[in-house]
Amino acid sequence: MAKSHSADQKSGKKKKRPLAAGVSRPAKPVRKRPRKDAPLAPRTVRRTAVLVGVLAPLLIIGLLGLATDPDYQVACTVLAILVLMASVVGLMLIRSTGWVVWPAVLLGVPLLVIPTAAIRAQLIADRGVETRVVITSAHSGKDKMGKVSWTCGIRREDNQPLPHGTIEGIGCSGTSVGTTATVLVDPDGWAPPATRDEDLSFRSAGVYVTGAVAVLWAALTFGAAHRTLPGKGGRGGRKGRK
Protein backbone atom coordinates (compact mmCIF):
# COMPACT_ATOMS: atom_id res chain seq x y z
CA MET A 1 0.00 0.00 0.00
CA ALA A 2 2.83 2.38 0.82
CA LYS A 3 4.46 1.68 -2.52
CA SER A 4 1.18 2.34 -4.38
CA HIS A 5 0.64 5.63 -2.49
CA SER A 6 4.16 6.81 -3.24
CA ALA A 7 3.75 5.83 -6.93
CA ASP A 8 0.59 7.92 -7.17
CA GLN A 9 2.38 10.89 -5.60
CA LYS A 10 5.23 10.60 -8.10
CA SER A 11 2.91 10.42 -11.09
CA GLY A 12 0.99 13.49 -9.87
CA LYS A 13 -2.39 11.82 -10.36
CA LYS A 14 -5.19 12.34 -7.87
CA LYS A 15 -7.48 9.45 -7.11
CA LYS A 16 -11.19 10.18 -7.27
CA ARG A 17 -13.00 9.49 -4.05
CA PRO A 18 -15.65 6.79 -4.35
CA LEU A 19 -19.25 8.07 -4.23
CA ALA A 20 -21.66 7.01 -1.56
CA ALA A 21 -24.06 4.21 -2.33
CA GLY A 22 -26.97 5.31 -4.52
CA VAL A 23 -25.31 8.55 -5.60
CA SER A 24 -24.53 8.98 -9.30
CA ARG A 25 -21.77 11.17 -10.62
CA PRO A 26 -23.13 14.32 -12.35
CA ALA A 27 -22.77 14.40 -16.14
CA LYS A 28 -20.19 16.74 -17.61
CA PRO A 29 -21.65 19.82 -19.32
CA VAL A 30 -21.49 19.62 -23.10
CA ARG A 31 -19.67 22.56 -24.65
CA LYS A 32 -21.41 23.90 -27.73
CA ARG A 33 -19.07 25.07 -30.43
CA PRO A 34 -20.14 28.24 -32.21
CA ARG A 35 -21.36 27.61 -35.73
CA LYS A 36 -19.23 29.17 -38.40
CA ASP A 37 -22.01 29.31 -40.96
CA ALA A 38 -25.14 30.06 -38.96
CA PRO A 39 -27.80 30.65 -41.67
CA LEU A 40 -29.84 33.83 -41.89
CA ALA A 41 -33.60 33.78 -41.61
CA PRO A 42 -35.31 33.25 -45.00
CA ARG A 43 -36.90 36.71 -44.88
CA THR A 44 -33.50 38.28 -44.20
CA VAL A 45 -31.96 36.35 -47.08
CA ARG A 46 -34.63 37.58 -49.49
CA ARG A 47 -34.37 41.20 -48.39
CA THR A 48 -30.59 41.15 -48.55
CA ALA A 49 -30.73 39.58 -52.01
CA VAL A 50 -32.96 42.40 -53.27
CA LEU A 51 -30.66 45.05 -51.80
CA VAL A 52 -27.48 43.45 -53.11
CA GLY A 53 -28.76 42.11 -56.43
CA VAL A 54 -30.96 44.99 -57.62
CA LEU A 55 -30.51 48.20 -55.65
CA ALA A 56 -26.72 48.01 -55.32
CA PRO A 57 -25.89 47.84 -59.08
CA LEU A 58 -28.47 50.54 -59.82
CA LEU A 59 -26.91 52.77 -57.17
CA ILE A 60 -23.38 52.09 -58.45
CA ILE A 61 -24.34 52.88 -62.06
CA GLY A 62 -26.21 56.00 -60.93
CA LEU A 63 -23.20 57.28 -58.98
CA LEU A 64 -20.86 56.60 -61.89
CA GLY A 65 -23.33 58.34 -64.17
CA LEU A 66 -22.99 61.43 -61.97
CA ALA A 67 -19.22 60.95 -62.18
CA THR A 68 -19.36 61.80 -65.90
CA ASP A 69 -19.17 65.40 -64.71
CA PRO A 70 -15.51 65.90 -63.67
CA ASP A 71 -16.65 68.12 -60.80
CA TYR A 72 -18.29 65.12 -59.10
CA GLN A 73 -16.06 62.34 -60.41
CA VAL A 74 -13.88 61.74 -57.34
CA ALA A 75 -16.65 61.85 -54.73
CA CYS A 76 -19.08 59.71 -56.73
CA THR A 77 -16.41 57.14 -57.64
CA VAL A 78 -15.42 56.73 -53.99
CA LEU A 79 -19.07 56.27 -52.99
CA ALA A 80 -19.54 53.69 -55.76
CA ILE A 81 -16.52 51.73 -54.48
CA LEU A 82 -17.96 51.76 -50.94
CA VAL A 83 -21.32 50.52 -52.23
CA LEU A 84 -19.60 47.69 -54.10
CA MET A 85 -17.62 46.66 -51.00
CA ALA A 86 -20.81 46.63 -48.92
CA SER A 87 -22.51 44.57 -51.64
CA VAL A 88 -19.75 41.95 -51.58
CA VAL A 89 -20.11 41.69 -47.80
CA GLY A 90 -23.87 41.30 -48.17
CA LEU A 91 -23.37 38.59 -50.78
CA MET A 92 -21.06 36.71 -48.41
CA LEU A 93 -23.75 36.91 -45.72
CA ILE A 94 -26.26 35.40 -48.11
CA ARG A 95 -23.90 32.59 -49.07
CA SER A 96 -20.93 32.20 -46.73
CA THR A 97 -19.09 29.66 -48.90
CA GLY A 98 -16.03 31.03 -50.65
CA TRP A 99 -17.08 30.40 -54.28
CA VAL A 100 -19.28 33.51 -54.33
CA VAL A 101 -16.45 35.97 -53.68
CA TRP A 102 -14.44 35.51 -56.89
CA PRO A 103 -17.35 35.89 -59.34
CA ALA A 104 -18.42 38.97 -57.36
CA VAL A 105 -14.95 40.51 -57.73
CA LEU A 106 -14.78 39.65 -61.44
CA LEU A 107 -18.14 41.33 -62.03
CA GLY A 108 -17.44 44.24 -59.68
CA VAL A 109 -14.33 45.46 -61.54
CA PRO A 110 -16.06 46.17 -64.89
CA LEU A 111 -19.07 47.50 -63.01
CA LEU A 112 -16.79 50.22 -61.61
CA VAL A 113 -14.55 50.81 -64.64
CA ILE A 114 -16.89 50.89 -67.64
CA PRO A 115 -19.93 53.12 -66.85
CA THR A 116 -18.33 56.58 -66.54
CA ALA A 117 -16.43 56.52 -69.84
CA ALA A 118 -19.32 54.78 -71.63
CA ILE A 119 -21.96 57.27 -70.44
CA ARG A 120 -19.69 60.21 -71.31
CA ALA A 121 -19.24 58.88 -74.83
CA GLN A 122 -22.98 58.29 -75.19
CA LEU A 123 -23.79 61.84 -74.05
CA ILE A 124 -21.31 63.38 -76.48
CA ALA A 125 -22.45 61.13 -79.34
CA ASP A 126 -26.11 62.11 -78.76
CA ARG A 127 -25.78 65.77 -77.80
CA GLY A 128 -22.30 66.88 -78.86
CA VAL A 129 -22.11 70.12 -80.86
CA GLU A 130 -19.11 70.91 -83.06
CA THR A 131 -17.35 73.94 -81.59
CA ARG A 132 -14.21 75.80 -82.63
CA VAL A 133 -11.72 76.17 -79.78
CA VAL A 134 -8.24 77.54 -79.26
CA ILE A 135 -5.64 75.37 -77.52
CA THR A 136 -4.14 77.49 -74.76
CA SER A 137 -1.81 75.06 -72.96
CA ALA A 138 -0.44 71.53 -73.15
CA HIS A 139 0.82 69.22 -70.40
CA SER A 140 2.33 65.77 -70.84
CA GLY A 141 2.47 62.78 -68.53
CA LYS A 142 3.69 59.19 -68.59
CA ASP A 143 1.82 56.12 -67.46
CA LYS A 144 3.37 53.03 -65.87
CA MET A 145 4.17 51.62 -69.31
CA GLY A 146 6.10 54.76 -70.26
CA LYS A 147 3.47 55.92 -72.76
CA VAL A 148 3.25 59.72 -73.07
CA SER A 149 -0.19 61.31 -73.02
CA TRP A 150 -1.12 64.97 -73.44
CA THR A 151 -3.78 67.13 -71.81
CA CYS A 152 -4.55 70.48 -73.42
CA GLY A 153 -6.35 73.49 -72.05
CA ILE A 154 -8.90 74.98 -74.45
CA ARG A 155 -11.22 77.99 -74.76
CA ARG A 156 -13.94 78.78 -77.24
CA GLU A 157 -12.87 80.78 -80.25
CA ASP A 158 -15.73 83.23 -79.63
CA ASN A 159 -14.65 83.57 -75.95
CA GLN A 160 -17.95 82.21 -74.68
CA PRO A 161 -17.82 80.21 -71.39
CA LEU A 162 -16.70 76.61 -71.84
CA PRO A 163 -17.23 74.19 -68.91
CA HIS A 164 -14.40 71.72 -68.37
CA GLY A 165 -11.90 73.47 -70.60
CA THR A 166 -9.53 70.54 -71.13
CA ILE A 167 -9.21 67.89 -73.79
CA GLU A 168 -7.13 64.78 -74.45
CA GLY A 169 -6.31 62.70 -77.49
CA ILE A 170 -5.45 63.34 -81.11
CA GLY A 171 -4.62 66.95 -81.91
CA CYS A 172 -3.30 67.66 -78.43
CA SER A 173 0.48 67.94 -78.12
CA GLY A 174 3.22 70.37 -77.14
CA THR A 175 3.25 71.92 -80.61
CA SER A 176 -0.50 72.55 -80.75
CA VAL A 177 -0.57 75.53 -78.34
CA GLY A 178 -2.09 78.55 -80.08
CA THR A 179 -3.74 76.53 -82.84
CA THR A 180 -7.47 76.10 -83.38
CA ALA A 181 -9.40 72.83 -83.49
CA THR A 182 -12.97 71.58 -83.72
CA VAL A 183 -14.25 69.57 -80.76
CA LEU A 184 -17.58 68.15 -79.64
CA VAL A 185 -19.08 70.00 -76.69
CA ASP A 186 -22.03 69.05 -74.50
CA PRO A 187 -24.35 72.10 -74.51
CA ASP A 188 -25.43 71.39 -70.93
CA GLY A 189 -21.80 71.27 -69.82
CA TRP A 190 -22.17 67.90 -68.09
CA ALA A 191 -19.76 65.75 -70.07
CA PRO A 192 -16.29 67.09 -70.90
CA PRO A 193 -15.45 67.94 -74.55
CA ALA A 194 -14.15 65.24 -76.90
CA THR A 195 -12.23 65.33 -80.16
CA ARG A 196 -13.97 64.45 -83.41
CA ASP A 197 -11.41 61.68 -83.95
CA GLU A 198 -12.42 59.85 -80.78
CA ASP A 199 -14.22 56.54 -81.37
CA LEU A 200 -17.41 57.37 -79.49
CA SER A 201 -19.39 54.44 -80.89
CA PHE A 202 -16.92 51.95 -79.40
CA ARG A 203 -16.95 53.59 -75.99
CA SER A 204 -20.71 54.11 -75.88
CA ALA A 205 -21.13 50.37 -76.47
CA GLY A 206 -19.94 50.03 -72.89
CA VAL A 207 -23.45 51.09 -71.82
CA TYR A 208 -24.78 47.74 -73.04
CA VAL A 209 -21.85 45.92 -71.43
CA THR A 210 -22.68 47.67 -68.14
CA GLY A 211 -26.28 46.49 -68.38
CA ALA A 212 -25.14 42.92 -69.06
CA VAL A 213 -22.77 42.98 -66.07
CA ALA A 214 -25.58 44.28 -63.83
CA VAL A 215 -27.84 41.42 -64.97
CA LEU A 216 -25.08 38.87 -64.26
CA TRP A 217 -24.57 40.42 -60.82
CA ALA A 218 -28.28 40.05 -60.05
CA ALA A 219 -28.23 36.44 -61.32
CA LEU A 220 -25.25 35.65 -59.08
CA THR A 221 -26.95 37.19 -56.04
CA PHE A 222 -30.32 35.49 -56.49
CA GLY A 223 -28.61 32.22 -57.37
CA ALA A 224 -26.71 32.34 -54.08
CA ALA A 225 -29.93 33.18 -52.21
CA HIS A 226 -31.75 30.31 -53.97
CA ARG A 227 -29.14 27.80 -52.75
CA THR A 228 -29.31 29.19 -49.21
CA LEU A 229 -33.08 29.27 -48.68
CA PRO A 230 -34.70 26.21 -47.01
CA GLY A 231 -35.87 23.55 -49.42
CA LYS A 232 -33.81 24.99 -52.29
CA GLY A 233 -30.84 22.65 -52.11
CA GLY A 234 -28.87 24.81 -49.71
CA ARG A 235 -28.01 24.42 -46.04
CA GLY A 236 -31.63 24.85 -44.99
CA GLY A 237 -32.79 22.27 -47.56
CA ARG A 238 -30.43 19.64 -46.26
CA LYS A 239 -31.65 20.29 -42.73
CA GLY A 240 -35.25 19.78 -43.72
CA ARG A 241 -34.54 16.36 -45.21
CA LYS A 242 -32.81 14.99 -42.11
Side-chain angles (χ1 to χ4, degrees):
M1 292 294 293
K3 288 183 179 180
S4 176
H5 181 69
S6 59
D8 291 340
Q9 286 182 341
K10 287 181 181 180
S11 61
K13 295 182 179 179
K14 294 182 178 180
K15 282 189 173 182
K16 295 181 179 179
R17 295 182 179 179
L19 298 175
V23 178
S24 60
R25 193 178 298 277
K28 294 182 179 180
V30 179
R31 294 183 181 180
K32 294 184 178 180
R33 296 182 179 180
R35 293 189 60 183
K36 295 182 180 180
D37 57 346
L40 299 175
R43 181 181 296 180
T44 304
V45 171
R46 294 188 185 96
R47 290 179 178 177
T48 306
V50 172
L51 291 174
V52 173
V54 179
L55 296 183
L58 290 178
L59 183 56
I60 291 172
I61 295 172
L63 287 170
L64 295 177
L66 293 175
T68 56
D69 189 332
D71 295 336
Y72 307 112
Q73 182 172 0
V74 175
C76 290
T77 302
V78 170
L79 289 175
I81 293 173
L82 293 177
V83 173
L84 179 62
M85 293 172 62
S87 301
V88 172
V89 172
L91 193 56
M92 293 174 64
L93 290 176
I94 293 173
R95 189 72 178 171
S96 60
T97 53
W99 70 269
V100 172
V101 177
W102 296 114
V105 172
L106 292 176
L107 292 175
V109 171
L111 195 60
L112 286 177
V113 173
I114 296 175
T116 299
I119 295 173
R120 277 180 181 173
Q122 189 66 48
L123 288 175
I124 291 295
D126 292 342
R127 305 190 306 184
V129 177
E130 291 188 355
T131 305
R132 295 289 293 177
V133 297
V134 178
I135 299 176
T136 58
S137 62
H139 305 279
S140 63
K142 288 185 178 181
D143 58 16
K144 295 180 180 180
M145 304 298 294
K147 183 180 179 181
V148 178
S149 59
W150 289 86
T151 301
C152 290
I154 58 175
R155 64 173 175 82
R156 289 176 61 115
E157 197 174 34
D158 56 7
N159 292 322
Q160 293 295 318
L162 179 65
H164 318 305
T166 59
I167 198 169
E168 300 176 357
I170 300 173
C172 175
S173 65
T175 60
S176 58
V177 177
T179 62
T180 59
T182 301
V183 299
L184 298 173
V185 175
D186 179 8
D188 294 335
W190 188 265
T195 63
R196 291 190 302 175
D197 299 321
E198 190 172 344
D199 191 354
L200 298 176
S201 61
F202 175 76
R203 289 193 176 184
S204 60
V207 173
Y208 302 101
V209 177
T210 301
V213 172
V215 171
L216 290 175
W217 177 276
L220 174 66
T221 304
F222 288 107
H226 180 81
R227 291 177 62 85
T228 301
L229 289 172
K232 302 297 183 180
R235 290 190 302 261
R238 288 193 297 268
K239 277 187 175 182
R241 290 191 294 267
K242 286 183 179 180

